[in-house]
Amino acid sequence: MANLRFSHMSHWKTIPYKTIPNFRDFYYEDKSNAAYYSDWDRILRYHAATGYEGIEVAPWDLADMLPLFGTLKEFAEFAKERGVAVSGMFHGAEGSHDPAKREEVLASSRLDVDRIVEMGGQHMNTCPDSNYFGVGPLSREQVRYAAATLTEMGRYAESKGVRIGLHNEFFCAINKENHREFIESTDPRYVHYCLDTAQIAIIGEDMVKFYDDYHDRICTFHLKDTASPKLPDSVRYAKDVEIQDDGTRWFWEPGEGVLDFKSLWRSMKKHGFQGWVTVETDGTPDLLASMALTTYYLERELGPIYR
Amino acid sequence: MSMGRSNDEVRYARTAKEATNMDSNRKFALALDLVDLDRQEPNRNRRESRYFWDELFTLVPAAGFRAIELPYQPKWDFGGRSGVPMTNYAVTTKYGSVAGFRDAMKAKGIERIATVAFSPLLFASAPTEVYFGAFAHFASEALRFAAETGAESLVVTPTPPVGILESTHGEASVWSREFLKRTSDLLDRLALEARTTGVLLSLKSEFWSLLRGDRIDTFLSGLDGALADIDTAHLRIGGLEPAARIRSLSGRIGSVHLTDTAFVDSGSAWRAVNPEFPADRPTQVFRDIGLGDVDLAGAISALDDASYRGWLVCSCRQTRDIYRAMLRARAFLDGIAAKD
């Protein structure tokens, strides 16, 4: 049995249909490719066909998914029928450093944990705080408060069989100067880590060294490449930096950027990582092509090292 | 053409002078709802970048449109992404100010923001108090934005689809009376505010709305200072012929959307949670202009007869291809002009 199970982060935005039973007629209406990416039936089949056993959903997808499926459990069963499991869901703990927002942050977290349980997922990959711009730099007290909030979130999640994986965005208030301190301020029994390979590199960490240092905390991955590691503070801390005016992409498919995934795979083998690895290709103009391109890389380039 | 203009006059009306030439009887604008960031393409990241919009603003005049309708979408105020210039926050972040945005568009050849559109759809599933609070806040913000951009009218969708509301609140007959009363109060205040800004307030009747078809007439009669929007495809799907509807309104028209469809609601698609995407038989409800079977020429003629002098906003809100849609709309308008 494989040690690694690949999932794919849903960045399809709004999928308006559960199924398209009149696929040919729908195609002929305008002869565009709309029929190919407008229903969950086909989107999930693409996952299975390109080697992804799982899908990681996003909380902002749910409002559109629920009217189609009735319940999240129904969605999970629909996906399972097509060979795809829900590996988990993303979550944002915006304001976790702020005592005034503590109850709101915890309630939102519990709600999303319950949703993940309903879908049979295992991971709640969690951005630990607000964006840096307008909030940062955080004081040490605020960092510790945020860590305590995440620990509290993790305590509930763990009791439900869900693992919180810290997922640091490169523009998050938890950033280069306090990232490791923050991790170490959380309780390792309840708070784990989702290693987003590109985000970590952009912050300024060495992806492989980070994995070696924290392998016992790392419960899952967001796997993506970047061509711009170690971005300066002036960029990372700027307003609304995630999407660049000139279309510069921070994220690329593994193998299309500059990160050393082969060394990471050797380290994962050394430490015996087992579990979900979520491929995330935000920024791509063609998700299906990115899924296939990544699978090729995972199979042919990394698979011989560890799978 | 009933107003007796020559072809040259009509063709002239779409060139540089069209946007500000008040002597022209017809003023055509292009609605930017033809960019659907949620459903048009898988992933939208590249269309959240400013470069995408800057290029679009260059191509809109190339397709013969020198005025636009801007959908005001509060969604872009959240999440730290300001590249989609559809809110005051996004525009001021990327262009410095609303005036800076207007100047940037003028430099590209877009002379005017003709109309601004606002829908409370984003908040439709929220608890009632949150819904009305957000509706009032952002509609007012959209109105101020419209005034600052020099838009002629603010086109407001008065209610989200019935189906979404029923999925949140239950059967409409139980709550719709009170809901519409609160909506009326809210829009009454907005109309009062609109009068102080000089922006016309216009209400859209969508086929999935609590105020679908001519149900909006009674609602409008209780408001002081709001006019009706004509949306040709919505009217057609709702069972009203646009030309007849235009005649029946006797000049009480605040804005016009030329939209096309071949969709027939033979059941209760209007009451679905997502009526724009009929679940039982997926179809493109709103076709690009000229590809449906709405009598748009008849509607335009009826508007001429009614001496309508406002903007005719071309909307291809469900297009599969932004750039083809712009050119299809232009080709259709050229065809109309050639026949006049």
Side-chain angles (χ1 to χ4, degrees), chain B residues 200-276:
Chain B
L200 209 58
L201 180 63
S202 184
L203 302 189
K204 196 165 193 171
S205 170
E206 294 165 324
F207 81 87
W208 50 62
S209 168
L210 282 169
L211 299 170
R212 62 194 175 280
D214 54 10
R215 291 174 181 226
I216 202 166
D217 291 347
T218 309
F219 186 81
L220 275 168
S221 67
L223 289 175
D224 185 15
L227 295 168
D229 174 76
I230 292 290
D231 186 305
T232 51
H234 272 291
L235 287 171
R236 168 67 184 280
I237 298 167
L240 297 176
E241 273 309 311
R245 173 71 176 152
I246 290 163
R247 283 190 286 273
S248 76
L249 281 167
S250 309
R252 289 170 291 129
I253 299 170
S255 56
V256 173
H257 289 83
L258 298 177
T259 51
D260 213 344
T261 186
F263 178 65
V264 177
D265 184 1
S266 54
S268 54
W270 65 271
R271 206 168 184 173
V273 172
N274 201 356
E276 202 167 353

Side-chain angles (χ1 to χ4, degrees), chain A residues 11-17 19-22 25-26 29-35 37-38 60 63-64 67-68 131 239-248 281-288, chain B residues 37-46 48-52 75 79-83 89 93-94 125 273-274 276-285 287-288 291 318-321 324 328:
Chain A
H11 280 286
W12 293 85
K13 305 312 172 192
T14 304
I15 306 297
Y17 297 110
T19 61
I20 300 176
N22 55 329
D25 290 340
F26 191 56
E29 285 186 354
D30 202 39
K31 304 179 190 69
S32 71
N33 62 351
Y37 57 78
S38 293
W60 48 83
D64 296 297
L68 299 179
N131 289 357
K239 187 178 185 183
D240 296 351
V241 69
E242 186 178 10
I243 305 291
Q244 290 289 287
D245 286 354
D246 64 359
T248 295
T281 53
D282 37 341
T284 177
D286 189 333
L287 273 168
L288 186 52
Chain B
L37 286 121
D38 293 315
R39 303 176 185 90
Q40 208 157 41
E41 293 177 7
N43 203 347
R44 62 164 172 258
N45 286 163
R46 71 187 185 87
E48 291 177 290
S49 290
R50 178 175 166 168
Y51 85 93
F52 170 84
K75 177 177 186 170
R81 297 180 175 193
S82 48
Y89 167 78
T93 299
K94 294 301 182 190
S125 300
V273 172
N274 201 356
E276 202 167 353
F277 299 89
D280 55 340
R281 187 174 171 74
T283 186
Q284 185 182 356
V285 169
R287 302 281 178 95
D288 289 3
L291 299 190
Q318 234 178 351
T319 188
R320 310 308 195 201
D321 185 326
R324 285 175 82 186
R328 283 169 167 171

Side-chain angles (χ1 to χ4, degrees), chain B residues 7 10 26 28 296-298 300 331-340:
Chain B
N7 287 348
V10 174
R26 295 175 185 167
F28 293 105
L296 295 173
I300 292 171
F332 179 80
L333 295 178
D334 283 352
I336 294 274
K339 288 176 188 167
D340 283 337

